[in-house]
């Protein structure tokens, strides 16, 4: 019935008309819903997309997978973003247009909220076993800066936040 949904469509070939034909976007909730049923398992009005392994929503459309936040930008502004689309609040599933911004790699990376290494519950803080102190560190322009050693994890985090708010233009915390 909707065979055009199954043809291969390169990301740069996706037009605003094709996007509007297939999906509705609610800028207040950040949700995409199907205007057509792309398969027997999906009904008109059903939310589109599924989570990927990196905390973002992916939507399969015209034989390609698209990040929902990039589609939200395109749907709203009718142009693809020049850079990355950054989630201001750090939540990769919050695709409200008010939460999205076109950001450079630098600004996007400066808005990180989650730690990858887990010696501390806080971003920018780790425990120095040798000295028995908490250390705060921040990266700017691809260089790590040590912000000092602290008696408590919370003190180190306060130092990190202060530096982050000063040094990272993309910081929203």
């Amino acid at each position: 019935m909707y065979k055009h949904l199954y043809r291969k469509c390169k990301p740069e070939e996706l037009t605003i008309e094709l996007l509007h034909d297939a999906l509705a976007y609610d800028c207040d909730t950040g949700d995409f819903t199907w205007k057509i049923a792309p398969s027997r398992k999906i009904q008109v009005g059903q939310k589109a997309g599924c989570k990927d392994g990196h905390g973002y929503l992916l939507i399969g459309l015209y034989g390609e997978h698209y990040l929902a936040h990039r589609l939200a930008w395109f749907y709203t502004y009718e142009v693809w973003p020049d850079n990355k689309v950054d989630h201001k609040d750090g939540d990769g599933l919050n695709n409200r247009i008010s939460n999205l911004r076109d950001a450079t790699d630098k600004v996007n990376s400066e808005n990180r909220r989650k730690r990858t290494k887990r010696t501390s519950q806080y971003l920018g803080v780790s425990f120095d076993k040798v000295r028995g102190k908490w250390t705060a560190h921040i990266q700017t322009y691809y260089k790590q800066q040590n912000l000092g050693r602290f008696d408590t994890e919370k003190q180190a985090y306060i130092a990190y936040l202060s530096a982050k708010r000063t040094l990272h233009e993309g910081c929203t915390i």
Side-chain angles (χ1 to χ4, degrees), residues 4-44:
H4 68 282
L5 275 180
Y6 299 106
R7 71 177 175 84
K8 265 304 204 196
C9 179
K10 294 179 184 173
E12 63 272 7
E13 293 175 353
L14 181 64
T15 64
I16 198 67
E17 292 79 16
L18 288 172
L19 181 58
H20 282 256
D21 285 348
L23 295 167
Y25 171 68
D26 183 337
C27 63
D28 294 325
T29 65
D31 293 332
F32 280 95
T33 53
W34 290 105
K35 285 182 163 180
I36 46 85
S39 74
R40 282 181 259 149
K41 294 180 180 181
I42 298 173
Q43 298 175 3
V44 172

Side-chain angles (χ1 to χ4, degrees), residues 99-110:
N99 185 49
L100 304 176
R101 63 181 170 186
D102 188 351
T104 62
D105 285 339
K106 179 181 178 295
V107 169
N108 187 45
S109 68
E110 288 174 351

Side-chain angles (χ1 to χ4, degrees), residues 28 32 48-50 82 103 114 129 168:
D28 294 325
F32 280 95
C50 60
D82 292 327
K114 297 176 184 173
K129 290 180 185 176
H168 288 176

Side-chain angles (χ1 to χ4, degrees), residues 141-156:
Y141 297 101
Y142 308 103
K143 291 186 180 183
Q144 183 97 344
Q145 292 181 5
N146 187 350
L147 301 173
R149 293 183 182 84
F150 303 87
D151 293 326
T152 68
E153 187 178 21
K154 188 72 171 177
Q155 288 172 333

Side-chain angles (χ1 to χ4, degrees), residues 75-139:
Y75 198 100
T76 302
Y77 300 113
E78 299 187 0
V79 293
W80 289 104
D82 292 327
N83 301 289
K84 291 189 174 185
V85 175
D86 181 39
H87 294 83
K88 294 177 195 175
D89 68 357
D91 179 359
L93 297 175
N94 180 359
N95 293 314
R96 291 175 180 89
I97 200 65
S98 61
N99 185 49
L100 304 176
R101 63 181 170 186
D102 188 351
T104 62
D105 285 339
K106 179 181 178 295
V107 169
N108 187 45
S109 68
E110 288 174 351
N111 195 30
R112 272 188 45 208
R113 304 290 177 107
K114 297 176 184 173
R115 288 200 39 83
T116 52
K117 297 177 183 171
R118 298 282 176 191
T119 59
S120 169
Q121 63 180 324
Y122 299 114
L123 183 64
V125 177
S126 59
F127 188 71
D128 182 346
K129 290 180 185 176
V130 174
R131 292 182 175 84
K133 297 266 187 180
W134 292 95
T135 61
H137 38 83
I138 193 165
Q139 186 166 329

